[in-house]
Amino acid sequence: MEKKEQKGLSRRKFIIGTLQAVGLSVLGGLVWGAYIDEATSAPLVLRPPGALPEKDFLKKCIKCGLCVEYCPYDTLKLAAPGDNIPIGTPYFEPRKVPCYMCTDIPCAVACPTGALDTDTVSDVVDGKKQLNINKARMGLAVINMESCIAYWGIQCDACYRACPLIDKAITINYMRNERTGKHAYLVPTVHSEYCTGCGLCEYACVTVEPSIYVLPRHVIKGKAGQHYLKGWEREQKLQLIQEKRSRFTTPRSEKSPLEYLNEGDLLNE
Amino acid sequence: MSKIVHYIYKHRYLFSRRIVQVSIILLYIAGNLYGWTILRGNLSMGKLFETIPVADPYAVLQMFFAGAILLWDAILGAVIVLLFYALIGGRMFCSWVCPVNIITDAANWIRKKFRLDRDEWQLRFSKKVRYWILALSFVMSAIMAVPVFEFVSPISMLHRGLIYGMGFGWAAVLTVFLFDLFVTKNGWCGHLCPLGAFYSLTTGKSVLRVYHIQPNCTLCMNCKNICPEKQVLAIVGKESGYIDFGECINCGRCIEVCNDDALKFSLRYIKKEKEGLENA
């Protein structure tokens, strides 16, 4: 009888103990999870070339720092606590040290986990993988037209000259200066299909605070959506015709409006 | 002179451990600063001689739970490290590699010097909490889709900080130090750390183990007083045998403080030692 009672007690103790641990785990998990949620969001951070999209990157980065060690220009840094960047992950600040676009991409090659994926920064030539740093998409440069002195009419092409993809990623456009009536604006323009986000332009910019700066692509790259088409471009025009056919043809609209109106049925309705 | 020799002999494992711990971090620092190729990276993941990958198996497991498909380098590195500790070293990482061990040992030393280690001055809680934290870290990694402990680990904050720059990481290290000093004896390493818990669960069957020679034991309890994981010394004074607990960190402190040659490092499976009850 006594034994039975003891057994019941110890079982009860075990169950209570387990439930307590579960309760504490839920509490701990909630706090921990809330912290992780905050600590992993850094929408403006710039990652090394070949970095996967931020979510996958944080999943795979083991925070070993090998990319930082193999960067010959000390461009890359590992985020320390207090930097407000997911702790231990590599990033760079182009105004301090830009990415110099090494053709052998030592940082991405050094990555042991695949958080920096060399496949995204290489071409396949004759069935062989060949690194191509120009395919890097670390960010996208944007120009502040209000503080950029070229937009004031002062001649400056620092960013254009600094760009490793000169005349592709940054071009100089000419505009008439209406104020003087006899001068031209020579203004830089960034083209997102070529810009790698290396930040050499931001580094070279002559204004006190940079007037051209790199931001993560997803932050600034707008999207018009599929319902807007450039009818003056051959491919999109064809697409337009196709879509008109498939989406806007009903038994009624198959006939021309004139035909349809003159059928006379309408009068009887 | 002989006093110094004796002192060193009585702390031979302690000194060796400090030398190993500091050298590993220094080699990583030299790898980053001067491009030495012996060890590069850090304790989360590194490369030995720029070829052999070595990775923290617990971090890689968290990533697995987070849903990451890693390159073979990382997986191989984790397997190499885990096999080394599981087959050979036991929970050696904690006492011979981990830099936090130096911090918590310092806290423990001060705790003893200033007689802060009275039982009634301790916040007591179960040593099993670490296993719950370990399990929780896997669940959380799966839910949050990131390796969650790697974002809060004071261990990696310390070694990464020493190699690449500390930032506010010192605050986490200080927290561990103060917790161990004032709140609970061996509070971090022996109660909370999920990395230690991970190695405890995986490395209990290793070759290198502490061996107890019961007939020599005088029951002075020096070993139990110095041991950071007392529960593993359950057989002391009772029967000869290997310390058969994964929680033993193979620090060798018990061997050093024993004045009766009742404890030693031995190689299980390889050396034939007598086990079980013995009549002295």
Side-chain angles (χ1 to χ4, degrees):
Chain A
M1 186 65 196
E2 215 172 65
K3 242 188 180 174
K4 219 177 181 183
E5 220 165 72
Q6 252 182 1
K7 215 176 169 188
L9 265 181
S10 73
R11 185 195 297 140
R12 232 173 288 169
K13 211 176 147 192
F14 171 76
I15 293 172
I16 289 293
T18 308
L19 289 177
Q20 275 179 330
V22 169
L24 277 175
S25 298
V26 172
L27 175 69
L30 196 72
V31 176
W32 197 351
Y35 171 74
I36 294 292
D37 197 35
E38 282 298 309
T40 52
S41 86
L44 298 184
V45 67
L46 295 178
R47 298 299 187 190
L52 298 172
E54 187 69 6
K55 252 190 165 175
D56 295 322
F57 180 79
L58 289 178
K59 213 180 274 188
K60 282 193 177 185
C61 175
I62 200 167
K63 313 176 202 300
C64 65
L66 282 171
C67 52
V68 176
E69 286 193 23
Y70 283 88
C71 174
Y73 297 100
D74 288 337
T75 301
L76 296 176
K77 287 175 285 186
L78 271 199
D83 288 349
N84 288 329
I85 285 167
I87 188 173
T89 56
Y91 71 103
F92 73 106
E93 292 171 303
R95 187 64 166 176
K96 289 180 182 157
V97 192
C99 171
Y100 286 96
M101 309 255 289
C102 312
T103 48
D104 54 346
I105 326 183
C107 50
V109 173
C111 181
T113 63
L116 305 179
D117 183 3
T118 49
D119 287 349
T120 63
V121 280
S122 44
D123 297 315
V124 178
V125 184
D126 303 328
K128 261 203 215 156
K129 208 166 102 170
Q130 209 165 62
L131 291 170
N132 179 5
I133 185 64
N134 291 343
K135 286 182 81 178
R137 292 293 178 268
M138 295 170 270
L140 180 58
V142 269
I143 296 168
N144 184 329
M145 285 154 64
E146 288 180 354
S147 61
C148 173
I149 56 170
Y151 279 85
W152 295 3
I154 298 171
Q155 196 186 344
C156 171
D157 54 7
C159 55
Y160 167 74
R161 297 279 166 205
C163 182
L165 291 170
I166 186 167
D167 278 326
K168 280 181 174 167
I170 301 183
T171 56
I172 292 287
N173 287 3
Y174 306 106
M175 294 190 312
R176 184 179 157 75
N177 186 340
E178 299 286 353
R179 183 177 58 80
T180 63
K182 54 186 172 184
H183 296 100
Y185 291 115
L186 284 85
V187 295
T189 310
V190 179
H191 301 277
S192 68
E193 67 266 44
Y194 290 110
C195 179
T196 62
C198 69
L200 276 157
C201 52
E202 179 176 333
Y203 186 67
C205 182
V206 299
T207 56
V208 173
E209 296 290 331
S211 300
I212 181 165
Y213 36 79
V214 180
L215 290 169
R217 295 177 80 86
H218 66 91
V219 173
I220 40 165
K221 204 160 182 291
K223 189 177 171 186
Q226 299 211 319
H227 48 297
Y228 286 108
L229 290 172
K230 293 173 183 166
W232 56 92
E233 277 180 11
R234 192 183 140 72
E235 231 157 75
Q236 296 198 10
K237 172 98 181 171
L238 287 175
Q239 193 186 338
L240 192 67
I241 293 168
Q242 197 118 44
E243 277 203 12
K244 254 191 185 158
R245 269 203 205 123
S246 63
R247 271 174 47 195
F248 305 119
T249 313
T250 61
R252 270 189 183 175
S253 71
E254 263 175 351
K255 298 169 186 164
S256 78
L258 212 64
E259 223 181 325
Y260 160 68
L261 285 169
N262 287 335
E263 264 176 354
D265 295 14
L266 280 174
L267 296 170
N268 300 336
E269 265 173 26
Chain B
M1 190 62 204
S2 73
K3 246 187 171 173
I4 299 173
V5 172
H6 181 72
Y7 183 84
I8 293 175
Y9 177 74
K10 285 305 260 181
H11 296 83
R12 56 195 185 279
Y13 296 123
L14 184 66
F15 286 128
S16 320
R17 278 167 44 212
R18 293 293 174 260
I19 291 168
V20 172
Q21 281 164 331
V22 172
S23 324
I24 287 175
I25 294 292
L26 284 181
L27 284 174
Y28 275 124
I29 292 175
N32 183 32
L33 287 185
Y34 311 118
W36 288 21
T37 55
I38 306 169
L39 273 176
R40 304 199 78 168
N42 62 26
L43 291 179
S44 298
M45 166 112 212
K47 283 255 173 98
L48 199 59
F49 304 113
E50 300 204 303
T51 41
I52 307 164
V54 279
D56 174 355
Y58 174 46
V60 169
L61 202 55
Q62 285 173 70
M63 292 174 157
F64 171 77
F65 275 97
I69 298 157
L70 301 176
L71 290 186
W72 277 112
D73 252 17
I75 295 167
L76 186 65
V79 169
I80 288 172
V81 171
L82 186 58
L83 281 183
F84 172 76
Y85 291 125
L87 298 180
I88 302 166
R91 200 182 146 193
M92 261 180 108
F93 172 83
C94 297
S95 55
W96 290 77
V97 180
C98 183
V100 173
N101 174 259
I102 302 175
I103 307 293
T104 54
D105 273 359
N108 231 334
W109 185 76
I110 297 172
R111 180 179 256 281
K112 273 225 169 86
K113 278 272 161 219
F114 289 87
R115 295 170 193 279
L116 293 165
D117 51 354
R118 280 166 58 175
D119 234 16
E120 63 268 31
W121 291 348
Q122 278 202 58
L123 178 72
R124 285 242 170 215
F125 57 97
S126 167
K127 283 196 153 223
K128 293 206 168 70
V129 170
R130 52 186 152 177
Y131 298 111
W132 284 91
I133 296 178
L134 178 70
L136 185 62
S137 74
F138 292 137
V139 175
M140 294 296 296
S141 294
I143 295 173
M144 306 294 293
V146 288
V148 286
F149 183 64
E150 300 312 300
F151 284 89
V152 295
S153 162
I155 310 157
S156 36
M157 277 186 220
L158 179 57
H159 65 69
R160 201 170 47 230
L162 290 170
I163 300 165
Y164 299 108
M166 205 68 183
F168 268 104
W170 60 265
V173 178
L174 182 69
T175 308
V176 169
F177 176 76
L178 293 179
F179 186 74
D180 269 34
L181 179 59
F182 296 126
V183 184
T184 303
K185 185 167 180 284
N186 304 121
W188 172 256
C189 303
H191 292 73
L192 297 176
C193 178
L195 181 56
F198 174 78
Y199 281 127
S200 294
L201 290 179
T202 50
T203 64
K205 298 293 164 200
S206 68
V207 165
L208 180 71
R209 311 253 20 130
V210 173
Y211 175 76
H212 177 50
I213 309 150
Q214 188 267 334
N216 289 355
C217 180
T218 58
L219 298 177
C220 70
M221 294 297 137
N222 275 355
C223 53
K224 291 206 182 184
N225 284 334
I226 201 86
C227 181
E229 300 275 4
K230 282 185 215 334
Q231 70 281 10
V232 307
L233 293 175
I235 63 165
V236 164
K238 291 175 191 150
E239 56 183 276
S240 297
Y242 294 99
I243 301 305
D244 195 21
F245 285 90
E247 284 166 2
C248 170
I249 58 174
N250 272 348
C251 65
R253 290 295 282 142
C254 55
I255 301 170
E256 291 167 340
V257 298
C258 182
N259 295 318
D260 311 305
D261 291 326
L263 290 156
K264 63 174 184 180
F265 272 126
S266 186
L267 304 173
R268 183 162 53 180
Y269 318 124
I270 296 170
K271 271 193 182 174
K272 289 255 182 291
E273 306 272 10
K274 290 173 187 167
E275 292 198 54
L277 288 164
E278 271 180 52
N279 298 317

